[in-house]
Amino acid sequence: MDLLIGDTVADAAAIAPRATAATLGDEVVSFSHLDDEANRVAHTLHGQGVRRGDLVAWWTGGSLRSLAGMVACARLGAVFAPISPQLETAEAADVLDYVDPRLVVADGPRRDAAHDTGRPVAMLDELGRGASHSPVAVDVRDCDPHILYLTSGSTGRPKGVLVSHRATWLRSAPGSGTFAGAIRGDGGVLSSFPLHHYGGWHYVVEAWLHRTAVHLVRRADAEHLLAAVARHRPTAMYCIPAVWERVLAAPGDLGCLRHADTGTSRVADDLVERLRRRAPGATTTVLYGSSEAGPMTALRHWHLDAKRGSVGRPISPGVLRIAPDGEILFRGPTLMSSYLRLPAETAAAVRDGWYHSGDLGVRDDDGFVHITGRKREVIRSGGETVGPAEVEAALRTLPGIADVAVIGLPDERWGEVVCAVIVPEPGADVPDVAALRAGLTGLSGYKHPRRVVPTTAIPRTPATGQVMRSAIRDAVLRELATGKAGAAFRPTARSSEPIRRTGRSSVGGMAHERGEAS
């Protein structure tokens, strides 16, 4: 049988029609209601001219109706393309020019901007009104793309990642999903991610394939997440480390959790220990993956202590290997179909069936993968190569450093030199080069910083919290060019608040977005 995303809700509705499919604040929708609503929306979209293979741009704020929209598109064979509601009008216009959808679905706050694009627009509150709730009759195959994820790259226009029904199903299926293979308990999954990036939809589908609820929040802050925990008592919850830090800093009972998973960015040892204390009945798994490939590796809870600093072993049914230059390659049925209308970029990313992740890593004798940096971010100094992530991990163990990013700066003698951009802890002085080098006794000398630049915040991607090295490097070079060497550079990209991290760390890479659910 075909593995169709549109069937996930219908199958659950046939088994447990009154069971909760999703919540958002006080709003609750059952599988039966969602199944009927998806059919109504599908009939409306079909009446607007949407056909199999067409793209539907979904540009709305937080609403459970986005779930019906995704399922409706899946049943029509159309491609659901969620657009971030946080985009400014000009940014959204550029994205829509690239996506070139058959139809734009917008809500009230985005009504005028959507019409200004000159494309057909359907208003969210009018979808499904008066339409039939009978199933639509469209021949859809599981190799058809059903969703488009816009990657949150640090530079340049985002690339649209097309993912098929089959790939999505296999990414989230029981036995190969993220929560240690299967979700324990019936409380549902609390998703801290919005629905305009891969992470949010991954956990929606994973919940539904387990025939359980997904609990959404309007903002990924401690207040909203802990309120959702108290109201719905979820079984499983995944947050990137920065979001877990905020949750753990606030009072609240996490005792209902059986899964408290994390990944995407660095996971400090003390974070894992604090999760264990606050959620004593939960296991913790560290995950690594991407929009293009889905989950690639997992460090399961039974290996967490013995293999700290690793992102685990490859997740079935994928295969992972390390290329001679250290790049992590992945192959399997969960790979994307392509980048939307970008054949050259697709050919560069997937070669002979292997997805080239751009991440550098090593594999130990037990098959566990350790991330050492990004291929394009490698610093070449005096004929040696330096992975910024490795140096950052060492620097975070030193006192007085709240956050840090490592970049390469051009140098006539060395080619590049290692530069540490540092956010000092409140009241602490920025350490100089000598102090840093004296503290990095476990790191080879050629990896030590030769330059230190202070700053107030480290720019990071809003999707994943990953360091935006290109933006940082450009900002530092601008300051140097204006003769302000040694002064704190001004972050020009969206920045995260400094977060204290200590101990050894591991790195993940699943593309998720924080903020408003859509």
Side-chain angles (χ1 to χ4, degrees), residues 253-289:
D253 178 18
L254 300 177
C256 60
L257 295 180
R258 295 295 173 265
H259 306 266
D261 289 358
T262 190
T264 300
S265 55
R266 295 195 168 275
V267 182
D269 287 357
D270 68 321
L271 174 60
V272 174
E273 295 304 322
R274 283 180 284 133
L275 277 174
R276 287 171 170 169
R277 291 195 295 269
R278 285 285 293 275
T283 58
T284 295
T285 294
V286 175
L287 295 154
Y288 162 69

Side-chain angles (χ1 to χ4, degrees), residues 136-156:
V136 294
V138 177
D139 181 24
V140 182
R141 306 308 301 268
D142 64 9
C143 58
D144 293 341
H146 85 97
I147 198 162
L148 180 81
Y149 298 117
L150 293 164
T151 60
S152 54
S154 59
T155 60

Side-chain angles (χ1 to χ4, degrees), residues 126 139 160 206 263 275-276 379 431 449 482 508:
E126 298 173 359
D139 181 24
E206 185 161 0
L275 277 174
R276 287 171 170 169
I379 300 167
T482 56

